[in-house]
Amino acid sequence: MKEMSLTTPVALQNGTTIPLVGYGTWQTPDGDVARESVKQAIIAGYRHIDTAAVYRNEVSVGEGIREGLAATGLKREDLYVTTKIWCDKKGPHAKEAILESLKRLGLDYVDLLLIHWPIATAEKANDAWKKNNNETWKAMEELVREGKLRSIGLSNFRAHHIEALECEIPPVIDQLEIHPGYIQKETVDYCKEHGIVVEAWSPLGSGRVLGDPFLNEIAAKYGKSVAQLCIRFCLQYGVVPLPKSVHADRIVANTEVFDFEISEEDFNAILAMEQLGFSGNDPDGKLNF
Ligand code: A2P
């Protein structure tokens, strides 16, 4: 594991690969902050950028991508870009909504498009979410065939949501909230059994776990920050972390996770930590945002 890097290719079941670490942009404000931080991430070596329609920063993320490419001399194909379709756009008009995302990003294609959330509150009572996800997936499959999407996947889907998906092209990714204190073992195990690579959103628990005394004690043993420990934990857990920061120094610090290894004993102790639960939204429950 020590010889790995941010860009180590992780194989997906459609024959493509995804860079091992991505740069997350959830809660990054639109405008200069998103543009500048995405550019800084590319300069720092990230080759994998993750956004979503509901983050409302796709325009600035797209600008940051162009500025980052200009600053580094890289080409579009050197980057892996993910976006996601939100609940309000799922269903019959999904295709148009996805093309709108591409337009906002200023890209001809994205490497990965995810259904962001399995169930919208209004769909829950009568199982309408199943139809909605299937219609959306069909649109995504068409866009794969049209060359607009390279890969398609899911986010926040549990096993029973995945089981309800009717697909010709199987999902390659499930992006879940994962960090020390929320390891979602059941869903991760299900994905592994079905060849679905798991990505970790909020690998630092959106900052929630950074003050945890137990994690601070472990991180200190390795001369690392808790943020670095959390990212390394994801790598050793076999999931693709998407750390977010809008600060250039942290963007760089969060890449320094390849010069140490968490011992088996410490790794198991982190796995066994008290589970904190999801960050406010249950994929089977009420949607609060
Ligand atoms: P900021 O963007 O101001 O740097 P997650 O990736 O789990 O969503 O966590 C992101 C949160 O953690 C943000 O609040 C971010 O703040 C903060 N953060 C990211 N990297 C670090 C770091 N290296 N040290 C401390 N806080 C960090």
Side-chain angles (χ1 to χ4, degrees):
M1 195 139 213
K2 279 192 175 149
E3 63 283 1
M4 287 196 174
S5 74
L6 292 183
T7 56
T8 299
V10 176
L12 303 181
Q13 61 177 333
N14 64 357
T16 67
T17 62
I18 187 167
L20 182 61
V21 178
Y23 175 70
T25 65
W26 179 42
Q27 295 177 323
T28 297
D30 194 24
D32 288 349
V33 175
R35 185 181 48 73
E36 187 59 26
S37 58
V38 168
K39 176 184 167 186
Q40 289 304 325
I42 295 169
I43 292 170
Y46 292 84
R47 297 292 174 261
H48 169 178
I49 311 289
D50 183 277
T51 184
V54 77
Y55 300 170
R56 307 205 188 287
N57 58 17
E58 286 173 308
V59 171
S60 312
V61 167
E63 287 167 3
I65 287 173
R66 282 184 290 286
E67 290 190 11
L69 293 180
T72 53
L74 292 166
K75 300 194 187 70
R76 162 68 184 96
E77 54 269 32
D78 299 322
L79 280 191
Y80 195 97
V81 181
T82 301
T83 193
K84 314 183 191 84
I85 179 166
W86 187 240
C87 297
D88 58 347
K89 303 288 183 189
K90 288 196 296 185
H93 303 296
K95 201 166 170 179
E96 292 91 308
I98 293 165
L99 292 173
E100 284 297 320
S101 267
L102 266 59
K103 205 189 281 175
R104 283 192 292 273
L105 283 161
L107 298 175
D108 297 331
Y109 71 93
V110 288
D111 300 274
L112 180 63
L113 191 289
L114 307 177
I115 300 184
H116 202 146
W117 201 263
I119 298 183
T121 311
E123 301 168 326
K124 202 183 166 209
N126 57 3
D127 274 1
W129 60 273
K130 292 183 186 169
K131 181 164 175 272
N132 231 355
N133 285 343
N134 285 326
E135 279 178 351
T136 307
W137 194 258
K138 218 177 208 7
M140 289 159 68
E141 289 178 333
E142 276 174 37
L143 288 166
V144 169
R145 294 188 187 103
E146 291 169 22
K148 299 289 185 189
L149 310 177
R150 295 279 153 92
S151 294
I152 51 180
L154 308 167
S155 187
N156 301 297
F157 276 54
R158 293 186 172 136
H160 77 101
H161 305 123
I162 303 175
E163 291 285 324
L165 195 68
E166 293 160 11
C167 45
E168 284 171 30
I169 302 176
V172 293
I173 291 278
D174 194 7
Q175 184 181 122
L176 305 169
E177 178 183 356
I178 291 179
H179 49 79
Y182 197 47
I183 60 169
Q184 302 224 47
K185 187 174 176 341
E186 232 174 81
T187 310
V188 169
D189 286 350
Y190 175 89
C191 287
K192 283 187 181 156
E193 279 161 27
H194 291 80
I196 299 170
V197 169
V198 174
E199 293 180 320
W201 64 262
S202 281
L204 319 179
S206 298
R208 272 201 301 168
V209 299
L210 297 180
D212 182 276
F214 165 71
L215 292 176
N216 273 277
E217 200 178 297
I218 295 189
K221 276 210 264 187
Y222 298 95
K224 289 287 175 180
S225 68
V226 175
Q228 290 164 331
L229 180 77
C230 289
I231 297 165
R232 181 72 199 188
F233 168 79
C234 286
L235 297 175
Q236 292 184 214
Y237 191 42
V239 302
V240 171
L242 308 169
K244 172 263 177 188
S245 175
V246 297
H247 295 101
D249 54 341
R250 291 175 176 175
I251 289 171
V252 171
N254 292 348
T255 70
E256 293 164 355
V257 294
F258 299 100
D259 56 356
F260 77 114
E261 192 159 356
I262 304 169
S263 72
E264 199 179 333
E265 189 189 349
D266 289 338
F267 181 76
N268 287 334
I270 297 172
L271 282 179
M273 263 177 79
E274 187 193 341
Q275 296 299 288
L276 307 169
F278 42 79
S279 294
N281 287 294
D282 177 350
D284 283 300
K286 191 171 171 344
L287 207 49
N288 293 320
F289 54 88

